[in-house]
Amino acid sequence: MTFGRLCREWKGAARLALIAGFALLSGCTTYVHTQVAAFSDWSGTDATRTYAFARSAEQQNSIEQKTYEALVANELATHAFRQVPDADANYRVELSYSIRGDMITVRQPVYYDPWPMYGGWYGRPYGWGGYGAWGGWDMGPAGYVDQSYPVFVHALQIRMTDRASGREVYKVSASNSGGESSLLRAMPYLIRSALADFPLGNGTVRTVKIPLDKNGGASNETAVAAGTQSRPASAPAGVPVPVQ
């Protein structure tokens, strides 16, 4: 393999690594980090955990809504919830979700290549800036450029109300950000993070991390609340999300 080809391949890998580094603002390369906030007036027991989904007018005939409801139902089942007809349910569960695109600008160093005959390094002139004071080559950058990358913010809210009275008993919001432009691929991480350690105490704010396997999919390891004393929550396999 020629030096120029090696440089070109390294350039592509480095570019992907840079994007992955900003995929989630946490900067972690092995976890999806999700911010969670919960408000709770929960007093139910396992025996009363029956529910039905409630939909807005726009959600009534939505295939997307049904897809997300199936994912939520699977996760609720791990907390002893049973889905039943609305007339038999103790609780109604409402979902709201969104995705918003933005750009992040990163300042990067620019280097110059002392051996241009071997091809560019890292997609632009790269190499040593000059002979350093210590008798070796000076590795410092010749300047800096700003490069922008797309970032998408994924958000989910799960709201539970008492069916008989309409009283809100639990509301949890989850959000994360990264280079994934599909809400569907981010949704399993939002759902698992939102419902981990259910029910959370009123006013709980925390970050939940879910590990990825080496292929970028959801790991079989546990999802944990980063920086808290909370017990681990199970992390069943879900749709992979290509952000780390």
Side-chain angles (χ1 to χ4, degrees):
M1 179 181 296
T2 67
F3 182 78
R5 180 179 175 186
L6 176 64
C7 290
R8 286 191 295 272
E9 292 185 1
W10 183 90
K11 171 189 70 177
R15 197 172 274 165
L16 289 174
L18 179 65
I19 295 174
F22 285 93
L24 286 175
L25 299 183
S26 65
C28 181
T29 59
T30 56
Y31 292 87
V32 171
H33 284 66
T34 300
Q35 289 68 52
V36 174
F39 295 92
S40 177
D41 188 22
W42 182 262
S43 59
T45 66
D46 287 358
T48 66
R49 294 185 181 188
T50 58
Y51 74 95
F53 286 108
R55 297 180 177 182
S56 66
E58 294 79 9
Q59 295 171 338
Q60 285 299 322
N61 298 309
S62 170
I63 300 176
E64 181 182 18
Q65 173 73 16
K66 292 176 65 176
T67 301
Y68 298 155
E69 285 179 0
L71 294 174
V72 171
N74 288 338
E75 193 65 23
L76 284 174
T78 68
H79 298 288
F81 279 91
R82 293 185 298 112
Q83 187 175 1
V84 298
D86 184 76
D88 300 325
N90 286 309
Y91 302 102
R92 286 195 172 114
V93 176
E94 303 170 47
L95 308 181
S96 57
Y97 38 85
S98 65
I99 182 170
R100 175 175 57 85
D102 206 342
M103 299 292 293
I104 184 171
T105 300
V106 181
R107 176 151 290 193
Q108 298 178 255
V110 177
Y111 298 88
Y112 290 101
D113 191 351
W115 300 316
M117 71 288 294
Y118 291 109
W121 186 282
Y122 197 35
R124 61 176 61 83
Y126 192 101
W128 289 275
Y131 203 70
W134 294 98
W137 289 102
D138 180 9
M139 297 292 288
Y144 294 87
V145 294
D146 291 338
Q147 291 199 352
S148 296
Y149 302 94
V151 174
F152 298 89
V153 179
H154 321 103
L156 168 70
Q157 183 181 94
I158 301 175
R159 181 173 182 261
M160 297 184 182
T161 57
D162 181 85
R163 187 184 66 84
S165 66
R167 178 176 60 90
E168 183 177 85
V169 295
Y170 197 74
K171 181 167 69 175
V172 59
S173 301
S175 65
N176 57 38
S177 59
E180 176 53 65
S181 61
S182 167
L183 182 59
L184 173 62
R185 291 171 66 84
M187 188 60 73
Y189 297 92
L190 294 172
I191 293 169
R192 277 178 275 166
S193 298
L195 294 175
D197 301 319
F198 177 90
L200 297 174
N202 187 46
T204 297
V205 177
R206 67 179 189 169
T207 299
V208 176
K209 62 179 185 178
I210 296 179
L212 305 175
D213 65 21
K214 63 182 180 179
N215 296 317
S219 170
N220 289 326
E221 300 175 34
T222 56
V224 298
T228 74
Q229 299 296 319
S230 300
R231 63 179 176 80
S234 62
V239 181
V241 57
V243 295
Q244 302 181 7

